[in-house]
Structure formats: structure tokens, C-alpha cells
């Protein structure tokens, strides 16, 4: 009985420490707010996503990793055009389309360094929000999709639409509280 109580206490404390409130302002004008219960990251068409507490970025020429608990805001700046390519290393031939996006983050305590931090993490992030059925699926550096597993019925126009859909329905700003 003591072991079960201890396990519940540890899980509850971990949830209290890792959960934080956030306001997501989407590019389509909608706002989503609530307590983040879990953040996962992985490849867009990957089978497994792993829970994460950090995101990668760079300041100047330094690659850095930042804990979500230390971030005040993530803000969209710009995006490039869609580009597509084939990768012959795969059989059947795999097609990819991607778009570079620029997001900057603002730390809660920037310390002495006021230089901007640009996100460089190419993973898809999945934010689970308490009370929300569907999690938010967001890209912060490069939106990339492929026809993996659907090679026969998906071509470049389909992939381009997917990339543009992610861009148009992505996040404009996240404010962590």
C-alpha cells in the first residue's frame, strides 16, 4: 500500500512540475489555452514519438537546447516557399516536400545575453492540452512531409497541400505562463 501511495505521489509531483499553462495563438486567428500535460516530439511520419521537455535552437553560431519551462514565448517570424524532392534510397521511391519556417524564442530569464534565439528543431511537436481531445501538432523550423506508406496514391501536389495546410494552421505565438 505504501508503494502505491508513493508512486501516486511521485507521478502527481512530476505532473505538477512539468505541467504549465500556455496560450497558443494560431495563424488562423483561433486561440487555444490551457495546461500542457505532455509534449512529444518525433518525425512527421514516424511511428513513435517520445516525450520531451526541451527544444533545440541557436544563438549566433552556438547550438543550444532549451527547456520549455524556461521559455516565455515562441513567436513566428517568416516562412519560405515549398520545395519538393525525391529520395532514391527508398524503394519504392519516396517523395518529400518541405518548407523552412523561422520561429524565435524569448526566455523567461535571458541572463546577460539579449541576442535572439532562433529555433532549429526539425521535429514535429505534439502538445497535449488538458481537456482538449485533439493535441496540437506543430512544426517550428522545417515543415516536412513525405509519401511514406502512401506512395501509390500521393504525389507532389498532395504533399504541397499538406505542407501549406501545416503552415496555415500552425501557431503564430505561444505564451508560456
Amino acid at each position: 500500500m505504501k508503494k502505491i501511495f508513493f508512486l501516486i505521489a511521485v507521478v502527481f509531483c512530476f505532473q505538477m512540475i512539468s505541467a504549465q499553462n500556455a496560450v497558443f495563438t494560431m495563424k488562423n486567428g483561433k486561440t487555444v489555452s490551457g495546461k500542457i500535460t505532455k509534449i512529444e516530439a518525433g518525425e512527421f511520419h514516424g511511428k513513435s514519438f517520445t516525450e520531451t521537455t526541451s527544444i533545440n535552437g541557436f544563438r549566433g553560431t552556438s547550438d543550444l537546447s532549451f527547456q520549455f519551462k524556461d521559455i516565455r514565448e515562441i513567436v513566428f517570424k517568416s516562412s519560405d516557399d515549398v520545395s519538393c524532392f525525391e529520395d532514391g534510397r527508398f524503394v519504392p521511391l519516396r517523395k518529400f516536400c518541405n518548407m523552412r519556417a523561422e520561429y524565435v524564442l524569448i526566455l523567461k530569464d535571458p541572463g546577460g545575453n539579449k541576442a535572439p534565439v532562433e529555433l532549429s528543431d526539425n521535429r514535429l511537436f505534439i502538445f497535449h492540452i488538458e481537456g482538449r481531445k485533439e493535441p496540437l501538432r506543430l512544426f517550428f523550423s522545417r515543415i516536412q512531409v513525405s509519401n511514406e506508406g502512401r506512395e501509390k496514391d500521393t504525389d507532389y501536389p498532395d504533399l504541397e497541400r499538406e505542407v501549406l495546410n501545416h503552415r496555415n494552421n500552425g501557431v503564430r505565438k505561444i505564451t508560456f505562463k
Side-chain angles (χ1 to χ4, degrees):
M1 184 67 172
K2 288 181 182 179
K3 289 180 183 180
I4 292 172
F5 178 73
F6 179 73
L7 180 63
I8 291 171
V10 168
V11 169
F12 180 73
C13 288
F14 178 73
Q15 256 187 338
M16 294 298 288
I17 292 169
S18 66
Q20 60 181 328
N21 289 317
V23 176
F24 296 79
T25 305
M26 309 306 287
K27 290 180 183 173
N28 62 13
K30 295 181 181 179
T31 302
V32 176
S33 61
K35 185 188 296 184
I36 299 170
T37 57
K38 178 170 60 170
I39 303 171
E40 297 176 293
E43 296 296 318
F44 176 71
H45 286 296
K47 304 284 186 261
S48 64
F49 288 85
T50 56
E51 194 165 347
T52 187
T53 59
S54 64
I55 190 166
N56 300 320
F58 63 90
R59 181 184 285 147
T61 58
S62 300
D63 287 328
L64 304 165
S65 181
F66 300 92
Q67 297 293 311
F68 281 104
K69 66 181 178 62
D70 298 328
I71 300 172
R72 182 175 42 155
E73 289 181 337
I74 296 176
V75 182
F76 173 76
K77 291 296 179 189
S78 66
S79 61
D80 293 337
D81 294 330
V82 177
S83 64
C84 299
F85 62 95
E86 295 177 343
D87 192 338
R89 294 178 296 166
F90 299 97
V91 175
L93 186 67
R94 192 162 305 155
K95 296 177 180 176
F96 292 86
C97 285
N98 64 52
M99 172 185 287
R100 172 102 169 83
E102 182 182 342
Y103 282 86
V104 295
L105 65 84
I106 301 164
L107 297 170
K108 290 178 181 173
D109 180 14
N113 195 339
K114 305 282 189 220
V117 176
E118 186 175 335
L119 293 180
S120 62
D121 208 315
N122 290 329
R123 297 176 294 171
L124 170 65
F125 286 84
I126 302 173
F127 289 84
H128 297 269
I129 313 289
E130 187 175 82
R132 185 176 164 88
K133 223 180 239 189
E134 289 294 318
L136 295 174
R137 301 170 63 85
L138 306 171
F139 291 97
F140 294 111
S141 181
R142 182 179 56 157
I143 302 167
Q144 181 170 316
V145 298
S146 77
N147 66 346
E148 179 181 0
R150 41 195 192 136
E151 289 88 352
K152 291 181 181 170
D153 57 332
T154 306
D155 208 353
Y156 287 125
D158 304 312
L159 296 174
E160 285 180 40
R161 278 191 293 279
E162 282 184 52
V163 169
L164 293 172
N165 186 41
H166 279 289
R167 182 199 64 191
N168 295 338
N169 293 315
V171 69
R172 180 170 306 286
K173 180 178 170 181
I174 304 173
T175 304
F176 296 95
K177 298 182 179 196

